[in-house]
């Protein structure tokens, strides 16, 4: 058994995979190397997010992984999508492996293991904060970068919060049960953390390249993921949109006032169809305003619904747990 002294070096690494066992094996080998260099040992929890090919346990019984004490493959009943899958994983760890700090990362090798020691070090240094690896550079094409830039600005404008972080993070042991109780992490992990006001900080990192296959993040799923980030802050976003519409209505009102003044009190010629355009604009803005208010009410009413809570509900999704030493 392990001595009492070594427990400070123990961490838990959480990742989710969908039919990408090749990447996972490379990830585990690289993690073992990184852990060895940092004198850490880890239990790795892999969430199998409803893969069509079940895990072949023999592939994971590798003697050389001296610093990976155990690999647990947690098979889900069905595909839940990355964010929900890792939230189930956090619920599982909070219940089954309490007292360990958790490093969360993607299994596709875009979250580079080399940053893990820095994450852990910073986590011990800052104490009660989650440490995210902020992605300073992305490996995608130019058009993606443009859209991502627009998304980041919109996100900041509508939620008041920055977004340049993904799953890759280290959660101090004390905060694991707290994070595992945040319903919103099931739709967007970083946004859920911000929403619940869990303190966090970041370290600098560069995104790695995937070695196998294509990203499962097609355009549609990327957009869904992006909108999920907004949805977590739906009430704030809704109210900001309503205020934006009110400001626009005020501006249009001002313009209308100027036009009426010019028509009545000056001899500046005003084009005949100006009034029709003004009427159209006003009715259009009024409709948008009513719709926005309605949506905000729906969102606020929806807050009272009990939602999926990873720490309590993860068991419903887990079909099987394979423990490999």
């Amino acid at each position: 058994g392990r001595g009492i002294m070594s427990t400070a070096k123990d961490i838990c690494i959480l990742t989710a995979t969908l039919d990408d066992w090749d990447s996972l094996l490379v990830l585990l080998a690289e993690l073992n190397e990184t852990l060895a260099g940092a004198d850490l040992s880890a239990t790795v929890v892999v969430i199998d997010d409803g893969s069509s090919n079940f895990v072949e346990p023999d592939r994971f019984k590798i003697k050389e992984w001296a610093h990976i004490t155990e690999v647990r493959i947690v098979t889900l009943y069905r595909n839940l999508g990355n964010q929900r899958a890792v939230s189930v994983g956090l619920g599982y760890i909070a219940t089954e492996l309490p007292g360990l700090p958790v490093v969360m990362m993607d299994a596709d090798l875009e979250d580079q293991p080399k940053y893990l020691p820095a994450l852990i070090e910073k986590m011990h240094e800052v104490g009660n904060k989650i440490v995210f690896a902020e992605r300073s550079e992305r490996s995608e094409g130019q058009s993606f970068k443009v859209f991502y830039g627009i998304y980041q600005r919109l996100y900041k404008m509508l939620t008041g919060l920055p977004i340049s972080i993904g799953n890759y993070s280290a959660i101090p042991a004390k905060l694991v049960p707290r994070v595992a109780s945040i319903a919103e992490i099931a739709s967007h992990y970083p946004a859920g953390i911000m929403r619940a006001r869990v303190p966090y900080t970041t370290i600098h990192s560069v995104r790695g390249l995937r070695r196998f296959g294509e990203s499962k993040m097609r355009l549609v799923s990327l957009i869904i993921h992006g909108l999920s980030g907004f949805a977590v802050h739906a009430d704030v976003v809704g109210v900001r949109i309503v205020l934006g519409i009110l400001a626009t209505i005020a501006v249009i009102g001002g313009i209308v006032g100027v036009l009426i003044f010019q028509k009545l009190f000056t001899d500046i010629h005003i084009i005949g169809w100006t009034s029709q355009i003004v009427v159209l604009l006003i009715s259009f803005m009024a409709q948008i305003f009513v719709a926005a208010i309605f949506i905000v009410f729906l969102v606020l009413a929806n807050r009272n619904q009990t939602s999926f809570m990873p720490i309590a509900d993860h068991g419903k999704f887990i079909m099987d747990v394979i423990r490999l030493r």
Side-chain angles (χ1 to χ4, degrees), residues 112-173:
Q112 299 190 65
K114 67 177 180 188
Y115 296 112
L116 191 140
L119 279 173
I120 296 291
E121 201 176 317
K122 180 96 170 179
M123 180 193 79
H124 287 307
E125 189 187 303
V126 293
N128 217 24
K129 282 183 180 178
I130 296 175
V131 182
F132 283 94
E134 190 163 16
R135 297 164 178 175
S136 54
E137 294 142 52
R138 298 185 69 102
S139 52
E140 286 90 346
Q142 207 46 50
S143 57
F144 180 90
K145 283 180 184 161
V146 171
F147 282 114
Y148 191 70
I150 295 169
Y151 168 68
Q152 283 181 305
R153 279 180 194 84
L154 254 181
Y155 194 91
K156 181 93 176 97
M157 202 167 77
L158 290 174
T159 66
L161 296 164
I163 189 92
S164 59
I165 47 182
N167 281 355
Y168 201 6
S169 57
I171 310 170

Side-chain angles (χ1 to χ4, degrees), residues 69-83:
T69 42
E70 184 184 12
V71 178
R72 291 193 191 189
I73 313 276
V74 178
T75 308
L76 303 185
Y77 280 112
R78 52 157 295 182
N79 174 260
L80 294 177
N82 178 272
Q83 300 291 284

Side-chain angles (χ1 to χ4, degrees), residues 80-284:
L80 294 177
N82 178 272
Q83 300 291 284
R84 255 181 113 80
V86 289
S87 72
V88 166
L90 267 178
Y92 172 82
I93 291 168
T95 317
E96 302 295 324
L97 293 160
L100 291 177
V102 176
V103 171
M104 209 150 96
M105 63 195 302
D106 292 338
D108 56 15
L109 306 170
E110 290 182 16
D111 290 344
Q112 299 190 65
K114 67 177 180 188
Y115 296 112
L116 191 140
L119 279 173
I120 296 291
E121 201 176 317
K122 180 96 170 179
M123 180 193 79
H124 287 307
E125 189 187 303
V126 293
N128 217 24
K129 282 183 180 178
I130 296 175
V131 182
F132 283 94
E134 190 163 16
R135 297 164 178 175
S136 54
E137 294 142 52
R138 298 185 69 102
S139 52
E140 286 90 346
Q142 207 46 50
S143 57
F144 180 90
K145 283 180 184 161
V146 171
F147 282 114
Y148 191 70
I150 295 169
Y151 168 68
Q152 283 181 305
R153 279 180 194 84
L154 254 181
Y155 194 91
K156 181 93 176 97
M157 202 167 77
L158 290 174
T159 66
L161 296 164
I163 189 92
S164 59
I165 47 182
N167 281 355
Y168 201 6
S169 57
I171 310 170
K174 256 206 206 90
L175 289 182
V176 172
R178 177 171 273 188
V179 174
S181 305
I182 301 170
E184 292 92 337
I185 64 168
S187 38
H188 197 285
Y189 169 69
I193 297 294
M194 293 180 195
R195 176 81 221 209
R197 296 180 194 272
V198 179
Y200 71 94
T201 185
T202 59
I203 64 164
H204 174 84
S205 80
V206 177
R207 195 181 169 97
L209 293 164
R210 59 173 50 245
R211 331 262 169 95
F212 302 95
E214 278 296 299
S215 172
K216 303 273 189 313
M217 282 288 239
R218 293 276 168 273
L219 181 64
V220 171
S221 45
L222 262 176
I223 292 170
I224 290 172
H225 181 63
L227 288 175
S228 301
F230 284 115
V232 166
H233 302 281
D235 47 357
V236 177
V237 171
V239 170
R240 285 191 174 206
I241 289 173
V242 166
L243 291 173
I245 291 167
L246 278 176
T248 312
I249 289 172
V251 169
I252 290 172
I255 294 168
V256 170
V258 169
L259 287 175
I260 290 170
F261 179 81
Q262 286 183 344
K263 196 168 175 90
L264 295 180
F265 301 106
T266 69
D267 36 13
I268 298 169
H269 181 63
I270 291 175
I271 309 163
W273 40 263
T274 310
S275 52
Q276 280 121 303
I277 286 184
V278 164
V279 169
L280 267 176
L281 267 177
I282 291 174
S283 60
F284 180 60

Side-chain angles (χ1 to χ4, degrees), residues 1-12:
R2 288 173 293 189
I4 299 298
M5 290 303 288
S6 72
T7 49
K9 299 193 300 188
D10 289 342
I11 60 168
C12 185

Side-chain angles (χ1 to χ4, degrees), residues 303-317:
R303 277 170 128 190
N304 309 327
Q305 306 297 320
T306 51
S307 41
F308 163 70
M309 208 168 144
I311 198 163
D313 302 325
H314 64 274
K316 299 173 189 170
F317 300 93

